[in-house]
């Protein structure tokens, strides 16, 4: 049989989720503990406003919504130590200490604080601590994602920088000012053209041309007929080598000079406006200053002069008009000569005295303007200058000219390649020897090795004319659009690197923000675990004292949460 000691040593296990119900069922706390707890919390909110917070730094960290039994008891202990003699005649504490003593006693009466402890434990274990752990895991995953993203951006930025450097290196640029460097690099074309002319004028190419010409003359020319001309473009470039001068194409010059010319025209026109403003035209529409030279209007017979009633012509008017025509400039005379002649009898002088005002002034002779006020408006760009620029540019900048040279080079290369294959073909070697013996002496002196040397020089000339750098430099000088597109392509690669670096800054800022959030949530999680552990210990010790010292264990998921918090 079990003794009283054995029963006293039997532990009492209580599931944490049913702790509040267990306390009410066993009459350890009253059933209306929630109502009484709400009244205590209202009193805490009231007394917290009058709490002297300068006594202890702990008071600065408190939130009235988070003050429970443990916090109230700690506040009471601090106030008791700071004001030990503030008691009334009945020996009770007065002031803030007395108020918080009453709050603590309200918690301890009927063990109301146990109901609060059970409520807080369930809240922390089921909701608060798991939420904080999930937040920590989420922030850690986002930090790992940002680290991976940062590594990818750095790798992409390094790749873009390498591509940009490679593209600049292919064009011989430093990459600081791409447009200016491209134009400066294009000025190196004369050396390339000089190298092309040097290869074309070399002995190997000369021998190849001579070999090809003699072969065509011997194999493809009938008797009593002149041989056909072969490789005319190569012969022309050797006899009349093009200039090595390179310059910008005319449309680039027009675009460069157009703005300056328009500015000059605007300046000149502005000057003319100023001069025109300073001219005194001596024009007035006042009737008193206008001499209409109209005599007394008399009513005449219609048949007298055939001009109708109230009309009269004086001979002095005709003479004055002839004098005015003689004063006109040759240009005005030329303009007047184009108009049809009008006789005096065809003119309608329909002048009425009933017209009170002057509506239109048809002709006003202006005072002569001195030659000092005359201004010449310049034309845009003289065509002769454009022609001179075009003549100065090398013909090798022209696509058609280069294509003609390439046609001849490819033709002679194909011939040399075919001859080399035929001479080294073992199946037709005997036939080649027979043909070789009957061929002219000028064709017998070329061995396969010599032909291979000639073909190498021809291939070198073709490579110099067709390599990408040469073509790009020629296009830079010939086309503003190509230059803009090339500059845009290079700057886009550079801008891509800059954009990636800016994205790297954004990632770093977001990572810093996440680290700050993570740093702020760690103390909250640790505080929740510490408080839960402390409340569990308080509840177990209080219940053990209620049951004559029997051990009380609060079991369930709370132990897993607290142990995982310790291991973390």
């Amino acid at each position: 049989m079990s003794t009283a000691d054995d029963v006293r040593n039997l532990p009492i296990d209580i599931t944490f989720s049913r702790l509040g119900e267990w306390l009410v069922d066993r009459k350890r706390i009253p059933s209306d503990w929630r109502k009484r707890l709400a009244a205590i919390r209202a009193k805490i909110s009231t007394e917290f406003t009058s709490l002297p917070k300068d006594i202890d730094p702990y008071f600065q960290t408190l939130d009235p919504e988070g003050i429970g039994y443990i916090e109230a008891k700690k506040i009471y202990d601090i106030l008791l130590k700071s004001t030990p003699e503030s008691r009334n005649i009945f020996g009770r504490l007065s002031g803030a200490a007395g108020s918080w003593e009453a709050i603590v006693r309200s918690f301890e009466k009927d063990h109301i604080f146990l109901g609060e402890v059970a409520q807080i434990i369930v809240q922390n274990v089921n909701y608060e601590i798991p939420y904080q752990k999930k937040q920590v895991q989420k922030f850690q995953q986002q930090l790992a994602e940002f680290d991976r993203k940062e590594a990818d951006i750095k790798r992409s930025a390094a790749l873009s920088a390498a591509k940009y450097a490679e593209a600049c290196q292919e064009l011989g640029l430093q990459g600081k000012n791409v447009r200016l460097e491209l134009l400066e690099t294009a000025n190196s074309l004369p050396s390339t053209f000089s190298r092309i002319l040097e290869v074309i004028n070399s002995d190997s190419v000369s021998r190849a041309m001579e070999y090809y010409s003699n072969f065509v003359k011997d194999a493809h020319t009938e008797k009593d007929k002149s041989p056909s001309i072969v490789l005319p473009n190569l012969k022309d470039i050797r006899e009349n080598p093009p200039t090595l001068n390179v310059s910008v194409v005319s449309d680039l010059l027009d675009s460069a000079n157009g703005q300056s010319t328009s500015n000059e025209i605007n300046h000149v026109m502005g000057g003319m406006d100023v001069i025109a403003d300073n001219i005194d035209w001596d024009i007035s529409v006042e009737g008193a200053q206008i001499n209409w030279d109209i005599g007394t209007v008399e009513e005449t017979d219609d048949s007298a002069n055939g001009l109708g009633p109230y009309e009269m012509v004086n001979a002095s008017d005709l003479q004055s008009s002839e004098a005015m025509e003689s004063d006109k400039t040759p240009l005005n005379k030329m303009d007047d000569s184009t108009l049809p002649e009008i006789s005096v009898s065809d003119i309608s002088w329909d002048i009425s005295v009933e017209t009170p005002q002057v509506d239109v002034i048809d002709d006003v002779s202006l005072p002569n303007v001195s030659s000092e006020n005359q201004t010449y408006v310049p034309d845009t760009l003289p065509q002769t200058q454009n022609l001179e620029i075009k003549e100065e540019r090398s013909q090798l900048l022209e696509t058609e000219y280069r294509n003609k040279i390439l046609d001849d080079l490819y033709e002679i290369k194909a011939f040399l390649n075919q001859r080399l294959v035929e001479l080294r073909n073992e199946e037709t070697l005997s036939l080649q020897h027979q043909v070789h013996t009957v061929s002219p002496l000028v064709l017998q002196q070329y061995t396969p090795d010599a032909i291979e040397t000639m073909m190498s020089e021809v291939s070198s000339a073709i490579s110099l004319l067709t390599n990408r750098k040469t073509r790009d430099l020629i296009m830079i000088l010939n086309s503003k659009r190509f230059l803009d597109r090339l500059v845009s392509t290079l700057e886009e690669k550079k801008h891509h690197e800059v954009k990636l670096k800016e994205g790297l800054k954004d990632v770093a800022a977001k990572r810093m923000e996440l680290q700050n959030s993570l740093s702020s949530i760690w103390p909250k999680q640790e505080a929740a675990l510490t408080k839960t552990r402390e409340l569990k210990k308080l509840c177990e010790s209080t219940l053990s004292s209620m049951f004559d010292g029997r051990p009380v264990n609060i079991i369930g998921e709370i132990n897993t949460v607290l142990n995982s918090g310790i291991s973390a």
Side-chain angles (χ1 to χ4, degrees), residues 164 171 173 177-183 476 480-495:
Y164 178 71
L171 296 172
L173 308 178
N177 189 339
V178 177
R179 182 178 294 273
L180 181 61
E181 291 176 7
L182 281 173
L183 292 175
I476 287 171
K480 183 177 182 295
R481 183 180 299 176
F482 178 83
L483 176 61
D484 294 340
R485 186 168 64 248
L486 185 60
V487 171
S488 176
T489 303
L490 293 174
E491 289 182 349
E492 184 178 355
K493 294 180 180 179
K494 186 176 181 180
H495 179 68

Side-chain angles (χ1 to χ4, degrees), residues 272-282 366-369 373:
M272 292 180 65
D273 293 338
V274 174
I275 294 172
D277 293 338
N278 295 331
I279 296 176
D280 184 9
W281 297 99
D282 195 14
L366 303 180
N368 294 330
V369 182
N373 295 331

Side-chain angles (χ1 to χ4, degrees), residues 21-153:
E21 298 176 5
W22 188 91
L23 291 172
V24 173
D25 291 342
R26 282 155 182 78
K27 308 297 182 181
R28 300 303 172 183
I29 59 175
S31 59
D32 62 342
W33 65 272
R34 288 184 175 85
K35 182 178 180 181
R36 294 167 66 177
L37 182 62
I40 296 172
R41 290 189 181 279
K43 190 175 182 181
I44 288 174
S45 299
T46 303
E47 294 298 331
F48 184 78
T49 57
S50 60
L51 181 67
K53 298 180 179 59
D54 56 344
I55 294 177
D56 193 275
Y58 175 72
F59 295 164
Q60 304 289 339
T61 62
L62 293 175
D63 183 13
E65 298 294 333
I67 296 177
Y69 172 69
I70 296 177
E71 291 80 11
K73 192 172 183 181
K74 190 172 182 179
I75 292 172
Y76 168 67
D77 293 338
I78 293 173
L79 292 175
L80 186 62
K81 291 178 182 180
S82 60
T83 58
E85 65 280 349
S86 60
R87 295 181 180 272
N88 55 19
I89 58 176
F90 299 102
R92 294 182 180 275
L93 292 172
S94 61
S99 300
W100 287 96
E101 182 185 14
I103 292 173
V104 171
R105 289 182 185 276
S106 299
F107 271 117
E108 291 176 349
K109 185 179 180 180
D110 295 332
H111 300 95
I112 298 297
F113 71 92
L114 289 177
E116 183 197 40
V117 167
Q119 188 181 40
I120 294 174
I121 286 176
V122 173
Q123 177 71 22
N124 287 349
V125 173
N126 287 341
Y127 302 105
E128 191 67 24
I129 296 176
Y131 170 75
Q132 292 174 352
K133 286 185 176 181
K134 288 181 179 178
Q135 287 294 105
V136 170
Q137 292 177 357
K138 178 182 177 181
F139 290 157
Q140 289 176 344
Q141 290 177 356
Q142 289 180 352
L143 284 175
E145 182 70 18
F146 280 139
D147 291 339
R148 184 190 62 79
K149 190 174 182 180
E150 182 179 7
D152 292 341
I153 291 176

Side-chain angles (χ1 to χ4, degrees), residues 183-418:
L183 292 175
E184 291 178 352
T185 306
N187 292 329
S188 64
L189 273 176
S191 60
T192 304
F193 290 165
S194 177
R195 173 61 182 159
I196 293 172
L197 294 177
E198 182 181 348
V199 173
I200 292 177
N201 291 321
S202 62
D203 294 339
S204 297
V205 176
S206 300
R207 294 177 61 194
M209 294 174 62
E210 183 181 359
Y211 182 29
Y212 182 54
S213 300
N214 292 331
F215 186 88
V216 171
K217 181 179 179 181
D218 180 68
H220 298 281
T221 304
E222 298 179 0
K223 294 183 177 179
D224 301 333
K225 288 186 178 181
S226 59
S228 59
I229 301 175
V230 295
L231 309 176
N233 300 300
L234 276 180
K235 293 179 180 178
D236 179 69
I237 196 174
R238 288 166 61 90
E239 295 173 358
N240 302 309
T243 61
L244 301 180
N245 296 328
V246 295
S247 59
V248 190
V249 77
S250 59
D251 58 351
L252 296 181
L253 287 175
D254 293 340
S255 63
N257 294 330
Q259 185 174 3
S260 62
T261 305
S262 62
N263 293 336
E264 184 179 358
I265 293 174
N266 293 334
H267 176 71
V268 172
M269 295 300 294
M272 292 180 65
D273 293 338
V274 174
I275 294 172
D277 293 338
N278 295 331
I279 296 176
D280 184 9
W281 297 99
D282 195 14
I283 298 175
S284 176
V285 294
E286 296 180 1
Q289 297 179 1
I290 299 176
N291 184 14
W292 296 101
D293 199 14
I294 300 175
T296 303
V297 180
E298 297 179 357
E299 184 176 357
T300 59
D301 189 18
D302 296 343
S303 60
N305 50 21
L307 296 176
Y310 302 102
E311 295 179 354
M312 182 173 59
V313 177
N314 296 328
S316 60
D317 296 337
L318 296 177
Q319 294 177 357
S320 62
S321 63
E322 290 176 359
M324 291 176 63
E325 290 178 358
S326 63
D327 293 336
K328 291 184 179 180
T329 59
L331 180 60
N332 293 333
K333 289 183 177 181
M334 181 181 65
D335 294 337
D336 294 340
S337 63
T338 59
L339 299 175
E341 295 181 358
I342 301 174
S343 62
V344 176
S345 61
D346 295 333
I347 298 175
S348 176
W349 298 94
D350 193 9
I351 300 175
S352 176
V353 296
E354 296 178 357
T355 305
Q357 297 179 355
V358 178
D359 293 333
V360 179
I361 300 175
D362 293 331
D363 187 11
V364 178
S365 60
L366 303 180
N368 294 330
V369 182
S370 62
S371 60
E372 295 177 355
N373 295 331
Q374 295 179 356
T375 308
Y376 172 71
V377 179
D379 294 329
T380 53
L381 183 65
Q383 296 182 357
T384 55
Q385 184 177 356
N386 286 337
L387 294 176
E388 291 176 0
I389 293 175
K390 291 181 180 179
E391 291 174 359
E392 290 177 358
R393 300 179 79 234
S394 176
Q395 288 181 296
L396 290 172
L397 293 174
E398 300 175 4
T399 304
E400 183 178 359
Y401 185 79
R402 292 195 313 276
N403 289 339
K404 291 179 180 179
I405 302 300
L406 285 173
D407 288 344
D408 288 356
L409 289 174
Y410 280 122
E411 181 179 351
I412 194 172
K413 180 181 178 181
F415 166 74
L416 294 175
N417 188 36
Q418 181 65 28

